[in-house]
Amino acid sequence: DGGITQSPKYLFRKEGQNVTLSCEQNLNHDAMYWYRQDPGQGLRLIYYSQIVNDFQKGDIAEGYSVSREKKESFPLTVTSAQKNPTAFYLCASSPPGALYEQYFGPGTRLTVT
Amino acid sequence: QKEVEQNSGPLSVPEGAIASLNCTYSDRVSQSFFWYRQYSGKSPELIMSIYSNGDKEDGRFTAQLNKASQYVSLLIRDSQPSDSATYLCAGGLNQGGKLIFGQGTELSVKP
């Protein structure tokens, strides 16, 4: 089955620890995205990548880092520098030639205490 | 002005009625628009896309785009309780390939 997978579904960490969220897709999509959603708010773009080995900062990149070593994978690291890391993290990808048409994975809910 | 703006609701309609969800956008947003449905605790699901002026129908859903008024809407006919969700409007930014999301409108369909 083709799709976007994110793991884990729920993640708990102590303050001060870095944590890496996984995002994998087997849809042959070139572009991948990371968003953050807080309760009652829309989606805010963290980072995005349109091709392998290249990525750009979104609107709220501070405290986050990414890599894009393979087309299928776009992991997000939430560092200890991120002041309010508790949120619902969503990974998305878009097919070739349809940059704005984004499909989402199931999300990872991160809680930092 | 926010780039993509929606009424947060909640919007409540009786079962079988037409639900109308609205969205306005700024000059910075392109003509590619999308509606996503998000159930509580789940990720957004793409349900409609519209690229040109006018109406686009898919089953019980109709998306409408009015470029002159910078307005996009989603109509849900014969609303069902299973349609109860938050609906996100999104538009493509003119430069950079980014999709901009509205805050979402919560829809509640009462049996």
Side-chain angles (χ1 to χ4, degrees):
Chain A
D1 286 337
I4 305 170
T5 57
Q6 291 186 246
S7 60
K9 187 173 181 180
Y10 297 97
L11 192 53
F12 298 89
R13 282 292 183 269
K14 294 291 187 186
E15 199 172 308
Q17 294 179 334
N18 290 355
V19 59
T20 297
L21 281 57
S22 167
C23 178
E24 304 276 333
Q25 54 95 4
N26 60 2
L27 301 167
N28 200 35
H29 287 179
D30 291 313
M32 297 185 74
Y33 310 81
W34 274 105
Y35 292 90
R36 168 186 174 136
Q37 187 175 40
D38 294 282
Q41 297 197 29
L43 278 65
R44 292 185 289 169
L45 183 64
I46 304 172
Y47 268 98
Y48 62 108
S49 168
Q50 296 183 0
I51 56 171
V52 175
N53 293 322
D54 188 46
F55 48 83
Q56 289 76 40
K57 292 182 179 180
D59 302 316
I60 55 164
E62 186 176 348
Y64 299 98
S65 66
V66 294
S67 63
R68 187 85 188 276
E69 297 176 1
K70 298 188 300 182
K71 186 175 184 177
E72 301 78 17
S73 179
F74 191 39
L76 173 75
T77 296
V78 184
T79 76
S80 57
Q82 167 50 232
K83 291 182 172 47
N84 298 296
T86 295
F88 188 35
Y89 289 88
L90 291 156
C91 178
S93 67
S94 55
L99 199 60
Y100 297 119
E101 187 179 302
Q102 296 181 16
Y103 297 89
F104 285 86
T108 292
R109 201 167 294 276
L110 173 65
T111 302
V112 177
T113 57
Chain B
Q1 180 193 5
K2 289 183 182 177
E3 287 157 333
V4 176
E5 202 154 3
Q6 296 180 253
N7 291 331
S8 59
L11 174 66
S12 183
V13 300
E15 185 175 355
I18 296 176
S20 177
L21 303 157
N22 305 311
C23 176
T24 57
Y25 60 91
S26 75
D27 290 338
R28 294 188 65 212
V29 179
S30 78
Q31 309 304 301
S32 300
F33 293 93
F34 305 89
W35 283 99
Y36 289 82
R37 177 177 60 199
Q38 186 175 24
Y39 291 115
S40 181
K42 303 294 187 184
S43 64
E45 174 193 2
L46 179 60
I47 56 171
M48 287 289 285
S49 60
I50 187 164
Y51 302 98
S52 56
N53 223 14
D55 294 0
K56 178 182 177 183
E57 188 174 318
D58 184 1
R60 294 186 296 112
F61 298 99
T62 299
Q64 299 174 318
L65 175 60
N66 183 326
K67 296 178 185 178
S69 301
Q70 295 181 284
Y71 178 96
V72 60
S73 64
L74 178 70
L75 302 178
I76 306 174
R77 288 183 300 282
D78 188 23
S79 295
Q80 302 297 309
S82 59
D83 294 325
S84 297
T86 295
Y87 289 80
L88 300 169
C89 171
L93 209 58
N94 287 335
Q95 291 181 344
K98 295 195 286 185
L99 197 57
I100 305 298
F101 288 83
Q103 299 287 87
T105 298
E106 184 183 347
L107 172 66
S108 177
V109 181
K110 304 292 188 187

